[in-house]
Amino acid sequence: MSRPTHEEPLTQPEALLRSLHDRVGDERWNQWPAAHREAFGAAMADMVTNADGSRSFGPATPVPAWLRREFDGRMGPSECPSLALASTCEPRDWARLLTEHPEMRLTNHYYDEPEAVAILAAHELLRDRGLQPWLDVELELKLVGNQIVPDAGTGALYTAHPLPDGIKTEVSALLGPDAVLVLDTTTPRGDQNGWEWW
């Protein structure tokens, strides 16, 4: 990362990027293409914090209109040392969203397992049973042409409802051994039941 001399003030995007660089170090920093780092700095500097504390994409951020409709006012800050623009943790119809907008992918934010197809299947099983699940998601910067279309990187699947033994077994089988069943665990939405793989 180029470092301005002490006489040159940092712009807000530069300051954000400097902070991220200092958190992750050279090796991780250099894994991200320069264009992605620059787009991340600009998008984060443009991010709007709403009166209720939620976040929305700023007016200068090059994101498609559908992304604003789906996520503005429904995002929070990300705590991940990565090119994650925001987090989101509310029940939503991920199957519909990913089908309508295949340029956004569901990914495992942390490991190879569980795979995205298993995560979505587990989410849909809980939805079909009326348990109003939600995925803990980091919106990870990705460039599609000249626009930002983040991937939905997941680390956990939760519900506020009790989990019957049969559903525990079914979902655990779908997600595999790398997803740990947790009961009454503290999350941004209060105490929840679910599976974590971070």
Side-chain angles (χ1 to χ4, degrees), residues 17 29 31-43 62 83 141-143 145 147-148:
L17 291 173
W29 178 261
Q31 292 176 355
W32 298 320
H36 290 212
R37 297 190 307 248
E38 291 169 12
F40 175 80
L83 300 185
L141 183 136
K142 181 180 69 178
L143 296 178
Q147 290 193 313
I148 294 172

Side-chain angles (χ1 to χ4, degrees), residues 3-15 18:
R3 294 182 177 267
T5 67
H6 64 281
E7 297 175 355
E8 299 173 337
L10 292 174
T11 66
Q12 187 180 10
E14 288 171 340
R18 172 72 56 80

